Structure formats: structure tokens, C-alpha cells
């Protein structure tokens, strides 16, 4: 079964750091680019970051650029999001999602999400 | 930055047709994807590249894209179609994924 499982969320104070992980299984992880997408409470979906299959290409949303770092370890079938200088507005459910070339890079597989709460 | 605008809500009678629009500058030149999200669940891809359905998605879901508007159509609406729906594109000029504002569909 194709699956993505996020972990690492939790409660953190403003200015703090957190590292999210996304474990992939059931497909050849190293062949796919990956995304992080977040959703603040009661709000819509917001794309956060993209990383290509070989990590050679990385993009960030303006809202997180300079504070968040996306990375991956293809040997461990894992995707990461290092989040520094966290702000109240970073509070959200964070999803990892797979863009699939067959689907025009629409995201066909999503994890269940991990919740990040930034609060003092 | 590129923006996608959706109506906040759409209501449809059981068995009737719902149409959800997604407005963006020259969106017809982009590939549009649509996601369904039910409360407490992750989004699900229901339409990719404007009008294509992934396997497992009912034929009742269809899409179109032209000019400045993309449209998701849900035919013969069922209670189980109640959800939030989001359009999404890749904006190559800024190298950003962009999601629409989201539409809550209510089946009456």
C-alpha cells in the first residue's frame, strides 16, 4: 500500500524550532519529488515547500523562506521539514504529499498530517 | 503573486448538479487540479490536468478549464460529496504551487 506518515508535530513556543518527518512506503520514494502543504485551523490549504527527487531543486513559499528547510533521505525513504523561528501563524496541520507525473504533478498521495502549534 | 479565487460556498440539491468555479488570470493556459477534503481528513485528488479523473473517482466528477475560469462539476450530487473543494495550479513564473481559496459544498 502506498503510504505517507508524518510525525514530529507538537507544541512549541514562538521563536522555537521543530523538525517534521514524513515516512514513505509502498512506492519508489527516490523517483518522486515531494511537497509539504499546511492548513491553519479553519483555513484553506497552503503550499509550503517542494523538493525534487534528487534534492537538486527546492522551492519555498514566501511565508516560510529563510526559516524552513526541506530535505530528504532517499536511503531512508524519508522527507523532512526543519522549521526555525516559528511564529504564531505557522500553527497548522502539516501534510506531506506526492506530486505524480502521470497526474500532471497533481498530488495523488497525502499523509494524515501532523499538527504544529506555536504558542507561548 | 498568482491568485486563485473560489466561491466560499455552493449549495446543491440531492441528485442535482453543482458547479464550482476557480478564477485566475489566464488560468486556461495552466493545468488545474482539484482536491476534495472532508472534515478531519487529508485532501483527495479528484480531477487532474483540468478534466481527468484518477482511478477510483466517480464519473460524476468532471472538470473544464478555459480563459480565466476553471470549473469542477459534480453531477447527481450525493450526501457523501459534502466537503471542501480546492483548485490548484503550478505557477511557473514564480515557481510556486498555488491553491484556490476553497469552496464548501453543501448537499441539501
Amino acid at each position: 500500500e502506498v503510504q505517507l506518515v508524518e510525525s514530529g508535530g507538537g507544541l512549541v513556543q514562538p521563536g522555537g524550532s521543530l523538525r517534521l518527518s514524513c515516512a514513505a512506503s509502498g512506492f519508489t520514494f527516490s523517483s518522486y519529488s515531494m511537497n509539504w502543504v499546511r492548513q491553519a485551523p479553519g483555513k484553506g490549504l497552503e503550499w509550503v515547500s517542494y523538493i525534487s527527487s534528487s534534492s537538486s531543486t527546492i522551492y519555498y513559499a514566501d511565508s516560510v523562506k529563510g526559516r524552513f528547510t526541506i530535505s530528504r533521505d532517499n536511503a531512508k525513504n524519508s522527507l523532512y521539514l526543519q522549521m526555525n523561528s516559528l511564529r504564531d501563524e505557522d500553527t497548522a496541520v502539516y501534510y506531506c504529499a506526492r506530486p505524480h507525473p502521470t497526474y500532471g504533478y497533481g498530488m495523488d498521495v497525502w499523509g494524515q498530517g501532523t499538527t504544529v502549534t506555536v504558542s507561548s | 503573486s498568482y491568485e486563485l479565487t473560489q466561491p466560499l460556498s455552493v449549495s446543491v440539491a440531492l441528485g442535482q448538479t453543482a458547479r464550482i468555479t476557480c478564477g485566475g488570470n489566464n488560468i486556461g493556459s495552466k493545468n488545474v487540479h482539484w482536491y476534495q477534503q472532508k472534515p478531519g481528513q487529508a485532501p483527495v485528488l479528484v480531477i487532474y490536468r483540468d478534466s481527468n479523473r484518477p482511478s477510483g473517482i466517480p464519473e460524476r466528477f468532471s472538470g473544464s478549464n478555459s480563459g480565466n475560469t476553471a470549473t469542477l462539476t459534480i453531477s447527481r450530487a450525493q450526501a457523501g460529496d459534502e466537503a471542501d473543494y480546492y483548485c490548484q495550479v503550478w505557477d511557473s513564473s514564480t515557481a510556486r504551487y498555488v491553491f484556490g481559496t476553497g469552496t464548501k459544498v453543501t448537499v441539501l
Side-chain angles (χ1 to χ4, degrees), chain B residues 28-105:
Chain B
S29 67
K30 302 179 184 300
N31 288 322
V32 179
H33 312 300
W34 290 91
Y35 302 87
Q36 175 193 69
Q37 187 182 32
K38 296 181 179 179
Q41 298 183 18
V44 173
L45 181 68
V46 294
I47 292 289
Y48 66 95
R49 259 192 275 119
D50 300 341
S51 59
N52 299 278
R53 282 176 291 104
S55 59
I57 301 301
E59 292 182 6
R60 301 185 296 101
F61 288 84
S62 62
S64 62
N65 184 20
S66 179
N68 293 318
T69 305
T71 302
L72 173 69
T73 301
I74 307 173
S75 304
R76 303 181 299 283
Q78 300 180 0
D81 298 333
E82 281 204 344
D84 294 326
Y85 291 84
Y86 297 89
C87 55
Q88 177 253 308
V89 301
W90 166 253
D91 181 24
S92 57
S93 65
T94 58
R96 303 285 187 271
Y97 284 81
V98 180
F99 283 97
T101 50
T103 299
K104 182 177 180 60
V105 170

Side-chain angles (χ1 to χ4, degrees), chain A:
Chain A
E1 180 192 5
V2 175
Q3 197 172 11
L4 297 171
V5 178
E6 301 94 338
S7 60
L11 174 64
V12 61
Q13 292 187 340
S17 298
L18 213 54
R19 189 196 196 204
L20 305 184
S21 299
C22 169
S25 60
F27 66 100
T28 306
F29 179 71
S30 59
S31 297
Y32 291 88
S33 56
M34 294 294 296
N35 282 313
W36 285 100
V37 176
R38 68 183 181 183
Q39 186 169 35
K43 303 297 184 182
L45 300 173
E46 179 188 16
W47 170 75
V48 173
S49 185
Y50 161 95
I51 187 168
S52 63
S53 57
S54 64
S55 304
S56 59
T57 302
I58 287 174
Y59 302 121
Y60 296 100
D62 291 342
S63 57
V64 306
K65 198 169 186 178
R67 300 187 299 122
F68 289 12
T69 301
I70 191 172
S71 63
R72 65 190 296 161
D73 185 336
N74 287 340
K76 294 183 178 180
N77 292 331
S78 293
L79 173 72
Y80 306 101
L81 186 68
Q82 177 66 43
M83 305 186 295
N84 298 330
S85 304
L86 283 162
R87 306 167 179 167
D88 290 351
E89 55 265 35
D90 295 319
T91 294
V93 175
Y94 285 74
Y95 298 99
C96 57
R98 181 184 79 172
H100 199 297
T102 298
Y103 298 130
Y105 296 97
M107 290 173 260
D108 71 324
V109 181
W110 295 66
Q112 84 290 349
T114 187
T115 300
V116 173
T117 303
V118 183
S119 175
S120 54

